[in-house]
Amino acid sequence: MNDAVKDAVKNRQPASLIGQRITKLDAPEKAAGKTRYVHDIHLPGQLHAAILRSAHVHAVIKRIDVSRARALPGVHAVLTAADIPGEHTHGIVIPDWPSLIGVGERVRYVGDALAIVAAETREQATAALDLIEVALEPQPVIADPVQARQIDSPSLHENGNLLKHIKVRKGDMAQGFAEADLILERTFHTATTDHAFLEPECSIAQPTADGRLYLYVGSQIPYADRNQVARALGWPDERVRVVGQLMGGGFGGKEDIAGQIHAALLAQATGRPVKLLYDRHESLIAHPKRHATQIRVKMGARRDGRLTAVQTELYGDAGAYASLSDKVMTRATTHSAGPYETPHARADCYAMYTNNPPSGAFRGFGVTQSAFAVESMIDELAEQLGIDPVELRRRNALRVGSVTNTGQLLHESVGLLECIDRVDSEMRRRAGNDPFRARPTPGQEHRVRAWGFAAAYKNTGLGGGAPDRAQAEVELYEDGALEARVSSAELGQGLVTVLQMIVAEEFQAPLDQVRVLVMDTDLTPDGGPTTASRQTFVTGNAVLQAARTLREGLVRVLAERFDAPPSQIRFVEGLALVNGHTAPLGEVAAIMKSEGHSPRALVEYWAPATQPLGAGGDMHFAYSFAAQAAEIEVNTRTGEVQVLTLIAATDVGKVLNPLGLLGQVEGGVMMGLGNALTEHFILEQGVPFSDRLARYRIPNITQTPEIVVLHVEHPASTGPYGAKGVGEIVSIPTTPAITNAITHATGVRITRLPVDQEEIALRGEGRGR
């Protein structure tokens, strides 16, 4: 940390100049509109930006004329691809996404950026877009991943349409199916969906007098933003400072570059701060989505319900550019046999480029899609075999000693059976011993009720051999305040509170004595991406180790000062107790400084090593597990489905923040409910129909069921206090629990998401009538 940064931290610069320094995150402050987001920042001399986006699905650019736009009063810059000084493409995994499409280049989806404008007002910038003339040559459209793999489909990228073929191999499939008494096969489809976070994307780029550029943005990966912006400018990373702001939701949708590069290019060209704010229409058409998938499942089992073989084939719609499709579809594939042990498993996934919007990270990271398919098949298998759906899951559930379909031996922290048992017990307490039988709603014979059940698992951390690390710093000030610093993103998931609690626990200090500074690439060390349910585990461990390192330093100084054994030094309520003496923590910091020691500890934590897919061994260092049961009511006249009750048990290793966990579960359940019943980003040959929220159905408050939350704790030995990830697992089993309940109520097996009410009304057997 250089002297300027030290001074900034010491002097506690105003919030507008640094990342988010947080002592307490209050929900009432958010509700009252007091929480500050990027759009709330207004810098002197600030210009406003707008982007000209393609209205064509697939075309080659023949000409772009910006002369009339540049002549418009109030316009300070109009830039095209020819004006980019550095690299022209960006991407977290594969840099194949052009920042701007140039003449002779290919537009690959509605939303590709062609030109950017900076003007005195937002209205002037928008007006300038209408003066830009573009000539294009339309090309054939590839609308889905199956079409993209056909031999006669045009190539969207230099190496074709196949982004990646992902393979899982375990055992001998011929043997596995030969040993089966029953073999089932079915194909499922899941829809493209949008994150629909409350806060649209906003970036502010500010040139500085010393030749640097500050970027104010809500981002899930600040250091990756810094790197990609610097590459576009042709600069070293250190010339760019990302000053992260709190986010109004992310769910994976704020991992990719949105307006950061465009704002930076315009600020560099004009020498003035530039704000680029998306409206909801632009947000919907431009940013990555959840992958639409086609998943074929072939499953074999003995008469006693023991699985013998599971084979899956997945097609994932990567859209126009790679984004995180490689990683997302790998997770979909490796989890596609479900949280069950089967001796023989095979999976093939084809992540394909299409002319749809790019698909990327989304809560559940591909496992949401494959869980729907495999859990639907498990339920159908139970019905065919005449075995209770819960008992079938219990017989095959992963447990300590199981080997996953990727060859990983599970040696600890496998709480799936307890999750299944606790949800089953609560469900039968409410519904009796036959919860899956359809029963009419008393007094309303056209309404029928039933329960459905599903289980799931999800990795914690990046895994697959990726280096997974986080740096964190903890410092003690002379006023007694403790501060943890890390670049990891706070987007409403409660990370800051967890980190506060860890530091407070280690020093036995009041929570309000601990601050957390996050999301500033000048002032906070790199905590890695906020993705893969990794932050509590990885950054939590980094902060835990930094706090313990600092505490050990304090103990050594106090032991020498008071001639006391280190074992007799304790910390209680913000005080150090040693050899009959009581010293406030601030006084201890002063003692350290007087003796030439710094009351600060910087730690780099490396998560346990993992292995790439196909290499054997541990592909992930931890998994979280869940089971859920849903009670639904179906109107057999209209097909309308109402979820009445949702019981959710989740093995999170160790509960660190019970209230935060409750919020994660409730939010995850509602997201899974929307995925099942309402949400669909509709595309018509690549053209978005869902280009406004009025055309994208998000669950509303009237659709919220009673949510019963059960905590299961099977500690992970390497997690902070035993904790592991929770952010994604809570939403994954919700959809199949609901769709399985629909099948029990109506006899209609749901194979396509979201649920089609008309199909239920037309095909439903009306078991309760």
Side-chain angles (χ1 to χ4, degrees):
M1 182 179 290
N2 61 40
D3 291 340
V5 174
K6 289 180 183 178
D7 290 341
V9 172
K10 178 180 178 181
N11 297 327
R12 301 174 199 176
Q13 290 179 347
S16 61
L17 300 179
I18 64 171
Q20 293 292 309
R21 176 175 275 117
I22 302 166
T23 301
K24 188 177 181 183
L25 279 176
D26 281 327
E29 284 199 358
K30 287 188 175 182
K34 295 180 180 178
T35 300
R36 191 199 63 184
Y37 300 95
V38 182
H39 185 44
D40 295 316
I41 298 173
H42 303 282
L43 299 177
Q46 177 177 283
L47 300 175
H48 296 266
I51 304 171
L52 178 67
R53 297 188 180 275
S54 171
H56 290 73
V57 178
H58 188 199
V60 174
I61 303 293
K62 293 300 183 180
R63 181 176 62 88
I64 301 178
D65 186 347
V66 300
S67 57
R68 293 174 62 212
R70 283 177 174 158
L72 186 69
V75 171
H76 287 257
V78 181
L79 305 181
T80 66
D83 300 305
I84 299 176
E87 296 183 19
H88 283 224
T89 57
H90 60 84
I92 297 172
V93 179
I94 300 171
D96 66 351
W97 193 336
S99 298
L100 293 166
I101 306 294
V103 174
E105 297 177 337
R106 188 180 299 268
V107 164
R108 295 181 176 90
Y109 83 109
V110 171
D112 256 331
L114 308 181
I116 51 179
V117 176
E120 289 290 341
T121 68
R122 185 177 173 90
E123 292 73 21
Q124 289 171 333
T126 303
L129 300 183
D130 294 333
L131 301 178
I132 299 174
E133 299 175 9
V134 180
L136 310 96
E137 182 180 289
Q139 303 291 306
V141 172
I142 299 177
D144 69 74
V146 176
Q147 176 194 358
R149 193 165 173 248
Q150 293 174 358
I151 195 167
D152 57 348
S153 289
S155 292
L156 297 180
H157 290 267
E158 184 177 350
N159 295 322
N161 297 332
L162 177 64
L163 173 61
K164 190 170 186 180
H165 178 194
I166 303 154
K167 305 175 185 178
V168 172
R169 303 288 187 264
K170 178 187 179 184
D172 183 317
M173 299 309 296
Q175 177 185 342
F177 285 120
E179 293 173 351
D181 297 311
L182 175 66
I183 298 173
L184 298 178
E185 185 172 355
R186 195 182 285 273
T187 299
F188 300 85
H189 295 85
T190 69
T192 299
T193 59
D194 190 85
H195 309 80
F197 32 68
L198 287 176
E199 176 208 21
E201 297 85 341
C202 185
S203 300
I204 301 175
Q206 178 187 26
T208 64
D210 60 356
R212 300 182 70 203
L213 184 132
Y214 287 5
L215 185 66
Y216 302 88
V217 65
S219 167
Q220 293 182 229
I221 322 178
Y223 274 83
D225 280 13
R226 183 181 77 162
N227 173 258
Q228 293 178 89
V229 169
R231 293 206 314 262
L233 294 173
W235 291 0
D237 288 6
E238 292 72 21
R239 283 188 68 182
V240 177
R241 176 186 180 185
V242 173
V243 187
Q245 306 298 307
L246 292 175
M247 279 163 273
F251 314 113
K254 291 176 180 174
E255 294 186 29
D256 286 282
I257 287 291
Q260 295 94 316
I261 288 176
H262 293 151
L265 290 170
L266 289 167
Q268 177 64 9
T270 62
R272 289 173 61 175
V274 175
K275 175 183 285 188
L276 176 55
L277 172 68
Y278 289 8
D279 60 16
R280 183 61 66 178
H281 169 77
E282 187 167 20
S283 178
L284 283 169
I285 67 170
H287 79 240
K289 312 297 176 200
R290 172 175 276 151
H291 293 73
T293 63
Q294 174 182 296
I295 304 175
R296 180 176 60 85
V297 183
K298 183 179 180 182
M299 184 176 287
R302 296 190 179 95
R303 289 186 182 87
D304 64 1
R306 299 286 181 181
L307 294 173
T308 62
V310 178
Q311 182 174 355
T312 57
E313 180 185 64
L314 301 87
Y315 281 85
D317 188 346
Y321 304 107
S323 182
L324 284 106
S325 289
D326 175 340
K327 307 303 180 184
V328 173
M329 293 313 301
T330 296
R331 294 298 161 268
T333 307
T334 57
H335 289 68
S336 65
Y340 308 108
E341 184 165 16
T342 178
H344 308 285
R346 177 188 176 106
D348 289 275
C349 174
Y350 304 97
M352 305 299 300
Y353 287 116
T354 70
N355 289 124
N356 293 322
S359 296
F362 199 130
R363 189 181 198 175
F365 216 74
V367 185
T368 301
Q369 295 93 312
S370 56
F372 162 63
V374 71
E375 285 300 297
S376 299
M377 287 295 285
I378 287 286
D379 236 48
E380 187 168 354
L381 188 68
E383 182 180 16
Q384 294 284 336
L385 292 170
I387 299 174
D388 180 272
V390 177
E391 179 57 30
L392 184 69
R393 289 175 170 86
R394 195 179 278 123
R395 292 178 189 179
N396 292 285
L398 293 171
R399 61 203 73 196
V400 172
S402 294
V403 178
T404 69
N405 63 337
T406 62
Q408 178 169 347
L409 174 65
L410 301 178
H411 54 84
E412 66 163 11
S413 189
V414 187
L416 179 57
L417 279 171
E418 184 178 347
C419 289
I420 290 173
D421 289 344
R422 292 190 62 185
V423 171
D424 185 45
S425 176
E426 178 63 19
M427 176 180 64
R428 294 180 196 274
R429 185 187 71 80
R430 291 164 173 260
N433 289 326
D434 193 9
F436 306 117
R437 177 182 59 84
R439 60 197 189 283
T441 301
Q444 300 182 66
E445 296 301 309
H446 65 287
R447 296 181 185 271
V448 61
R449 297 181 178 186
W451 285 81
F453 198 95
Y457 75 135
K458 175 67 173 66
N459 61 288
T460 293
L462 303 178
D468 204 349
R469 66 181 182 87
Q471 295 175 317
E473 191 170 41
V474 176
E475 182 169 0
L476 175 62
Y477 291 92
E478 292 185 44
D479 63 0
L482 287 152
E483 181 168 271
R485 295 191 283 270
V486 65
S487 73
S488 306
E490 172 60 58
L491 57 152
Q493 85 279 35
L495 172 66
V496 163
T497 303
V498 167
L499 300 184
Q500 281 180 299
M501 294 174 73
I502 289 173
V503 175
E505 176 72 18
E506 290 304 306
F507 286 92
Q508 290 298 295
L511 197 64
D512 60 8
Q513 198 170 327
V514 181
R515 298 188 304 268
V516 180
L517 176 62
V518 289
M519 302 183 293
D520 190 319
T521 57
D522 270 17
L523 305 183
T524 60
D526 189 358
T530 298
T531 188
S533 303
R534 66 180 289 278
Q535 284 297 349
T536 291
F537 192 108
V538 182
T539 295
N541 261 324
V543 169
L544 176 62
Q545 290 187 5
R548 287 178 175 173
T549 300
L550 176 58
R551 189 186 66 194
E552 291 166 3
L554 301 183
V555 167
R556 284 194 299 270
V557 168
L558 290 171
E560 293 177 5
R561 170 64 66 98
F562 294 101
D563 193 24
S567 60
Q568 293 184 10
I569 298 173
R570 295 185 300 122
F571 297 94
V572 179
E573 291 297 319
L575 301 171
L577 307 181
V578 50
N579 204 16
H581 297 278
T582 300
L585 284 180
E587 185 178 317
V588 180
I591 292 172
M592 287 194 75
K593 288 184 174 181
S594 71
E595 297 188 3
H597 302 290
S598 173
R600 181 175 66 245
L602 173 65
V603 164
E604 181 174 64
Y605 168 76
W606 287 82
T610 58
Q611 299 298 317
L613 176 60
D618 291 352
M619 189 174 176
H620 297 286
F621 52 74
Y623 293 93
S624 296
F625 298 86
Q628 294 184 6
E631 181 190 23
I632 59 97
E633 181 180 78
V634 180
N635 184 326
T636 56
R637 295 174 181 169
T638 65
E640 180 184 4
V641 177
Q642 180 76 32
V643 182
L644 305 175
T645 309
L646 197 296
I647 304 168
T650 313
D651 169 25
V652 299
K654 176 68 176 177
V655 178
L656 300 186
N657 179 5
L659 185 60
L661 178 56
L662 176 65
Q664 284 279 17
V665 176
E666 291 177 341
V669 164
M670 289 307 297
M671 188 165 276
L673 185 152
N675 184 65
L677 299 180
T678 65
E679 296 191 42
H680 185 186
F681 189 84
I682 300 170
L683 294 155
E684 299 170 338
Q685 287 296 299
V687 178
F689 173 79
S690 306
D691 62 351
R692 64 202 72 177
L693 281 182
R695 293 178 173 178
Y696 188 80
R697 296 175 58 212
I698 304 169
N700 60 47
I701 193 67
T702 67
Q703 294 169 286
T704 304
E706 176 192 5
I707 302 173
V708 181
V709 179
L710 307 173
H711 301 329
V712 174
E713 295 181 312
H714 285 237
S717 61
T718 53
Y721 311 112
K724 51 190 181 182
V726 65
E728 296 172 286
I729 182 63
V730 292
S731 69
I732 292 170
T734 308
T735 292
I738 293 169
T739 56
N740 286 337
I742 293 171
T743 300
H744 296 151
T746 67
V748 177
R749 170 58 60 192
I750 304 300
T751 62
R752 188 179 294 269
L753 296 178
V755 170
D756 186 337
Q757 291 183 205
E758 291 185 7
E759 180 184 18
I760 294 174
L762 291 172
R763 293 180 51 214
E765 296 174 3
R767 292 182 179 183
R769 288 180 288 184

